[in-house]
Each structure stands twice: as structure tokens, then as C-alpha cells.
Amino acid sequence: MSPPAVHALVRLEEVHRSYLMGSATVEALRGVSLRVDRGEYLAVIGPSGSGKSTLMHIAGCLDRPSSGRCRIDGTWVEDLPDEELSRLRNRKMRFVFQSFFLIPQLSVQENVEVPLVYAGVGREQRSALARDVLGRVGLAGRHDHRPNELSGGECQRVAIARALVTRPDLLLADEPTGNLDRRTGEEITGILEQLHAEGVALVIVTHDVGKARRARRVIQMEDGRILRE
């Protein structure tokens, strides 16, 4: 018998993405093809406006291509209804951004529990899962604090805990250390790399060539295309 076919966690085929800005059409992606496998560590680099964030948004199903195909864990998604696409995204992947996007009115623990609320997880289980991941990112004693009581590095740890709490297959991080000082940025990078070591596929968009070189694979983008790998 032949071995079962192995499919990529994310696969993009000839993806184009354009936006209408006033009377002008901006080509953010120009025929990009990309494969991300399970457990992979990929860095995407390039100047501002090169298409890095658009690529991440397409790969993470936050946006749809203007043309081309996108497959997530064996499912072609370009024609999926929004509700089905959202369910698939929530099962498979999570995001960490340069801005933390924490809800200021909620405690640290409540912020981490938000994805679990949408997933229909009960209150006691939500609390246990949230406290577990907060411990993993070094915030075991800060669960009752509000975001405005935390440092920038601590807020990013909360954002990582929120992404981790649903145990995703893929973590997409867009400039996750861009708002942090160098030392704190190294700590956050270390946390992300530990998650990768535990089997989470990690895609980091960064301007920092030094951080990119720590990845197993690096893609350089320019003018909406993959320039080299």
C-alpha cells in the first residue's frame, strides 16, 4: 500500500491581492505561492509595503485573495462561506500582532479566556486553561490585573497566552516585538521559539534580519512577490 498523502498546513497557489484606493488599484500580492508545513519555523522579511502583512492575513484567513487558491490543512478555503472560514481559522491558528489588542475593561485572565468563550468552553474549564497558559508565559500571579497595569512586554505575553490557550496548529506573529525594547523583545522571541519547539508551526513577519536568521526558513519579499528563499 502507498503511504497516505501528506498535505501542507497552509498552501497558497498563485495568490494575487489588490485593493482599490480612490481611483488607483494597489497590487499587494502578485502571484505568490507558498507552503507551510506542520511544525515549521518560517520568517518573512522585506521592506514596508512589500506585502508581508498581506501575505500573513491571507495565510491566516483574515483576508481573501483577489485570485489564486488557498488551502488550510487540506481544505480549499477561497469559496467557503464566512462562518465556515471563521470556524476553520479558529480551530487551526492564532495571531500575535505588534499592537496587543487587549480589551482594557477585562482582567488579564478574562482577556485570555475570550477565544474559549467563543468556542463554547465552560467557565471552570476556561479558568483552568487560562491560568495554565499564563503560568507558561511567566504571568502566574497577574491574572487579576488590567492591561493598563502591565508593561508592554507583559501585555505581549498576555497576547501570546490568549493565542496559545486554544492549542493552535499555527501561530502567525506580525512584528511581535516591534513595540518592545531589545531585552524584552528577546524574551518574547524566546517564548515563541519554545512554542515552536513544542510542535506549533510558527510564522514571524519581521524587519529584524537577526531574528529572521533564527528561523529554519526565511522568505524575502519585495513588491508583492517572493524575491528569494
Side-chain angles (χ1 to χ4, degrees):
M1 294 180 61
S2 300
V6 177
H7 54 248
L9 186 56
V10 176
R11 188 178 186 93
L12 308 183
E13 294 184 358
E14 288 295 316
V15 167
H16 292 255
R17 183 64 172 104
S18 59
Y19 301 93
L20 189 63
M21 301 185 67
S23 59
T25 299
V26 176
E27 297 286 342
L29 293 179
R30 304 166 184 258
V32 171
S33 296
L34 176 68
R35 176 184 176 120
V36 180
D37 289 326
R38 290 184 176 278
E40 187 162 16
Y41 183 3
L42 170 67
V44 183
I45 63 172
S48 296
S50 62
K52 303 187 303 298
S53 293
T54 302
L55 176 65
M56 193 191 78
H57 290 168
I58 296 288
C61 300
L62 291 176
D63 195 6
R64 294 179 183 264
S66 302
S67 65
R69 305 186 76 192
C70 178
R71 189 171 69 182
I72 305 298
D73 201 18
T75 300
W76 295 105
V77 302
E78 59 271 10
D79 295 323
L80 282 182
D82 288 343
E83 187 175 342
E84 289 185 38
L85 184 63
S86 178
R87 283 199 295 266
L88 179 65
R89 180 178 63 238
N90 289 339
R91 287 199 311 269
K92 297 294 179 182
M93 59 192 68
R94 282 292 182 265
F95 305 86
V96 177
F97 297 98
Q98 181 174 349
S99 298
F100 316 124
F101 295 117
L102 302 179
I103 302 172
Q105 297 85 359
L106 300 183
S107 69
V108 163
Q109 180 172 321
E110 289 167 337
N111 268 281
V112 174
E113 288 182 12
V114 166
L116 299 174
V117 173
Y118 286 112
V121 178
R123 180 176 297 179
E124 289 187 8
Q125 188 179 3
R126 289 201 312 264
S127 177
L129 290 169
R131 286 178 180 251
D132 176 64
V133 295
L134 284 169
R136 293 183 62 188
V137 299
L139 293 176
R142 310 300 296 273
H143 58 276
D144 284 334
H145 288 70
R146 294 288 190 272
N148 64 2
E149 299 175 297
L150 305 179
S151 67
E154 288 171 331
C155 285
Q156 192 60 292
R157 288 171 186 258
V158 177
I160 292 171
R162 180 181 57 193
L164 180 62
V165 74
T166 55
R167 301 176 182 175
D169 295 321
L170 173 64
L171 186 60
L172 297 137
D174 193 355
E175 297 287 356
T177 63
N179 283 334
L180 307 175
D181 62 74
R182 186 173 185 83
R183 178 179 176 181
T184 306
E186 285 294 318
E187 293 174 354
I188 295 301
T189 300
I191 291 172
L192 294 173
E193 290 178 344
Q194 178 59 41
L195 296 177
H196 166 256
E198 296 171 6
V200 177
L202 178 60
V203 177
I204 292 183
V205 171
T206 182
H207 284 93
D208 190 326
V209 175
K211 285 188 172 61
R213 286 174 177 160
R214 295 161 65 157
R216 293 184 179 180
R217 181 174 160 220
V218 180
I219 286 174
Q220 182 178 353
M221 296 196 67
E222 187 172 300
D223 295 329
R225 297 184 176 92
I226 294 177
L227 184 65
R228 62 176 59 89
E229 180 175 337

